[in-house]
Amino acid sequence: MGMFRDNPVLSRELLVNLRSHRAFILQFAYAGILAVAVLVAWPRVDDGRLGASVTAARQLFDLFFFGQFILVALVAPTFAAGSITGEKERKTYELLLASPLKPSWILIGKLLSSLTYLVLLLASSLPMMILGYLLGGILLSEVARAYLVLILAAGTFGLVSLAASSYFRRTSSALVVSYLIILPLVIVSLYLASTEDITLRNFVSVTLLPPWTIAVWSIVIGLINLRLLRPPDVGSEGKEVVDEEEEQKYAIGVVIDRDLFPDKLFAPAKRTDLMPDGTNPVLDKELRSEIFSQGTLMLRVVIQVSMFLSIPLMAGFLFWRPMPGWYICYVLTFNLLVGPVFSSGSITQERERQTINLLLTTLLTPGRIVRAKLLAALRVSTVLTLLLTEQVILAYALVRDLQLQFWTIIPFFLIILVTCLMTSSIGLLWSSLVRKTSVAMIATYMSLMALFVLPVGLYRWSLSVAQGVSDEVLRWILVPSPYAAAMSVLIVGDRPTNMGGDVQPIERPLAWAGVPIWVISIGLFLVISLVCHVVTLIAFRYRWWRARESV
Amino acid sequence: MIEVIDFTKQYGDFMAVDGLNLSIAEGEIYGFIGPNGAGKSTTIRFLATLLRPTSGEGRIAGHSVTQDPMAVRRVIGFMPDDFGVYDGMKVWEFLDFFAVAYEIPRLERRRTIGEVLELLDLTHKRDDFVNGLSKGMKQRLCLAKTLVHNPPVLILDEPASGLDPRARLEMKSLLSELSRMGKTILVSSHILSELADFCTSIGVIERGKLLASGSIQEIQRELRAHRVLKVRLLNESPERFAHVLKEHSAVKAESVNTIDRTLSAEFEGDGSAQADLLRRLIDSGAIVEAFDEEQLSLEDVFMMITKGVVN
Ligand SMILES: Nc1ncnc2c1ncn2[C@@H]1O[C@H](COP(=O)(O)OP(=O)(O)OP(=O)(O)O)[C@@H](O)[C@H]1O
Ligand SMILES: [Mg+2]
């Protein structure tokens, strides 16, 4: 028990995390949102029909469970993925390792401190859950099981992120890799949890899940321990000097070769001679030096995991049933995950590494600097994202249903490209607004999640609330979401029966505009990108004068 | 060449720099000294166009720091007190990056980069990663960076911090060398001995106020009023002669050290008064072995100035 009570890592982190006002404000906001959700569901309870309250309770319960599951998946990494990389970035990592603290203590301290807040959040939903339970129709055991699954998920996601944090040098790398590993776990769990088959649900959540989770935990804990016990060598000032060639030699799986297609698209070869005149030095530097400065590990993991995931999705959505919209949603999700990595750190890192003063006293104008940063981030994230689209092209070439509507590939690619632009622009915007990369990164993820998912949630919710309004009007809510844009591209063909007729509601034109969602979305994304860029420029110019005040 | 007019910088209620005036002529090496937190970096960052002043103006080579920062950047080489380097870049790439950022054509870049590497003795590190350099090496690399566009004015914030004694010496001779090449240099430090032997002028700043500014000789002359004369006697019991000092009108205070048989006097007179004192001592039978003005080290000047003895 001493491990918990007298653990200096744990107590320090808890103090820092929980002392901030932000933590409490968030907690209140969260409880508030839950309360609103309950209130909205409540009136429908006494609309006279028997069993209506039971349906309402079930809906509420599902909403809470799925919402919180997604919340756990989103929030656990934001705390845990930075917990060890943060020490590295602050150069306190060596102090920690050199202390007599056992690695397992550090690990437990970091894990518990990153999850405490999340568990507090979950706990604050308990009263609302109970309220839902009082409506009837739900068993207490179901509530207990829901919380068991949530806690197991929090632990698993936290540990995965902690492992990433111990293997990477930057929070941004750790965060994106954690999200990528968690993504398939979330998809599978949500799929299993949404089945109507009660026995299957029970079997999975009570019999299958706990032992497997514990097994995974022990493996991951072992890995982290190993990493903490034998940290890699660090050079002067605690920085590792990455030798790319050396690293490639020991790489497992994909090897990135700057000289080969398509790698050279996002990672042009290093220069062997001076830059030609007229080069934008910032752009050149970003593409040739910065991307790999932290080693190729992160990129290799990202590429491998995304390719691995794309195989079943491709088989399912492109070849088995030609529903490319779903596959495009996966491509967009990938961009949502990797886009911020290359953009949200690009200004804050200059600040953190104290190179910003050197940069700002040169003749480079803020406009050129910001443009170069955007182009570099955009290029890397777009090329990586497009790597996943060769499957789409293949499908359009081979699948007859798609061949017949070959023109639909155009909106899909437009949506992907414009989304790439938007994710990078939003990342860069946050990078110019805040001081720390980790903050910029998390803010970017949150904004993008809001943009991608929130409209879908709002739309579904409005369907039940605003019953007098026609669907053509309500679907305007979906416009900001790239997912909705992708799903709104009309594809006719062999669909699974539960999806209904040939033209889906989401594919029908919007009210007033008379065009489907994606047309408006593309325009909106361009506008958002432009606005972000302008605000970034203003913020950067402003900071440029206040450089000292913001250090 | 460098001019600061009533520069004031306020952080909230706190006056970091308060009405600072400064003027540095072309070709000078100006030492800017002051204790920690005095406002050196604040002033320097203002001159480097990185900081908006609360009020006041600065001019470098005739260009206004606030109105025309781009022109100022062209003529200055700036080295901040703390700086970092980019990851994954080699020494030559780092210098090339900044050379391009200063819009230097490629042909000229090739030559200049070689030259500054040579000048800073980094040629053998050309192909090393900047991140792997030691602190002192990085310091030199940053100085090399300030030189790539051959600016006539150098603004260096504590260039020698973190260097070993040998490297400090090298840094000094390097700055003297640069000064011989005709550059105007503003260099800050809180270690005075670092600046003493090669600065042509110094300015002393404390708590945001410039306490003294001028050539080292000038400042010492200002301190003349407080110079200390040391008289070493061969006589036994030198205290017998203390009254001679006491009776002299130019002596403000005196003290006797019987062990090394010296009398010291705080003296406020000109050369002839000094000769007169010597004559009187000899007349009264003192056997004077040495009669000298105590050399004020820069440290003493600094202590006296910051104690408020002067101004
Ligand atoms: N952004 C800021 N906000 C508030 N106060 C500041 C800020 N920057 C500097 N100061 C204050 O202004 C004063 C002058 O700071 P400055 O960095 O110019 O000192 P310095 O002479 O360079 O000291 P050092 O020898 O330690 O480098 C200090 O007291 C410092 O605390
Ligand atoms: Mg300073």
Side-chain angles (χ1 to χ4, degrees), chain A residues 151-172:
Chain A
I151 298 284
L152 287 179
T156 309
F157 299 162
L159 268 175
V160 165
S161 313
L162 205 60
S165 193
S166 70
Y167 276 88
F168 291 97
R169 268 149 288 189
R170 285 204 188 151
T171 308
S172 50

Side-chain angles (χ1 to χ4, degrees), chain A residues 170 236-237 239 241-242 270-277 279 281-282 285 289-290 293-294 350 353-355 357-365 544-545 547-549, chain B residues 9 11 45 48 50-52 70 73-74 78 80 82-89 92 96-98 100-106 109-110 113 129 131-133 138 145:
Chain A
R170 285 204 188 151
S236 96
E237 296 177 22
K239 280 190 192 134
V241 180
V242 176
K270 285 194 81 70
R271 286 205 180 280
T272 51
D273 200 7
L274 306 182
M275 296 177 215
D277 284 331
T279 318
V282 181
K285 175 205 79 167
S289 306
E290 296 277 332
S293 61
Q294 297 303 306
E350 298 272 354
R353 266 183 318 202
Q354 296 182 308
T355 46
N357 290 329
L358 302 181
L359 195 60
L360 288 183
T361 45
T362 64
L363 301 178
L364 294 167
T365 55
W544 171 45
W545 269 112
R548 179 58 186 237
E549 285 155 86
Chain B
K9 180 71 196 178
Y11 292 110
R45 295 174 55 83
L50 286 173
L51 190 80
R52 194 196 281 284
M70 279 300 171
R73 286 174 198 181
R74 226 173 260 278
F78 168 58
D82 38 9
F83 61 87
V85 291
Y86 292 117
D87 295 333
M89 259 191 179
W92 71 266
D96 188 37
F97 173 78
F98 283 101
V100 174
Y102 279 108
E103 295 170 3
I104 300 175
R106 193 160 190 238
R109 257 186 281 147
R110 193 177 303 282
I113 290 174
F129 279 104
N131 228 347
L133 295 180
K138 275 185 203 158
K145 179 239 97 172

Side-chain angles (χ1 to χ4, degrees), chain A residues 548-551, chain B residues 11 14-17 34-43 81 157-158 190 205:
Chain A
R548 179 58 186 237
E549 285 155 86
S550 53
V551 166
Chain B
Y11 292 110
F14 177 74
M15 277 280 187
V17 177
N36 289 127
K40 304 182 294 288
S41 300
T42 307
T43 309
D81 51 351
D157 200 353
E158 309 209 16
H190 49 254
I205 182 172

Side-chain angles (χ1 to χ4, degrees), chain B residues 32-89:
Chain B
F32 200 38
I33 56 178
N36 289 127
K40 304 182 294 288
S41 300
T42 307
T43 309
I44 283 183
R45 295 174 55 83
F46 161 65
L47 284 171
T49 72
L50 286 173
L51 190 80
R52 194 196 281 284
T54 309
S55 69
E57 176 61 290
R59 304 194 149 271
I60 295 179
H63 305 290
S64 157
V65 172
T66 50
Q67 307 300 318
D68 195 1
M70 279 300 171
V72 170
R73 286 174 198 181
R74 226 173 260 278
V75 295
I76 62 167
F78 168 58
M79 174 163 169
D81 51 351
D82 38 9
F83 61 87
V85 291
Y86 292 117
D87 295 333
M89 259 191 179

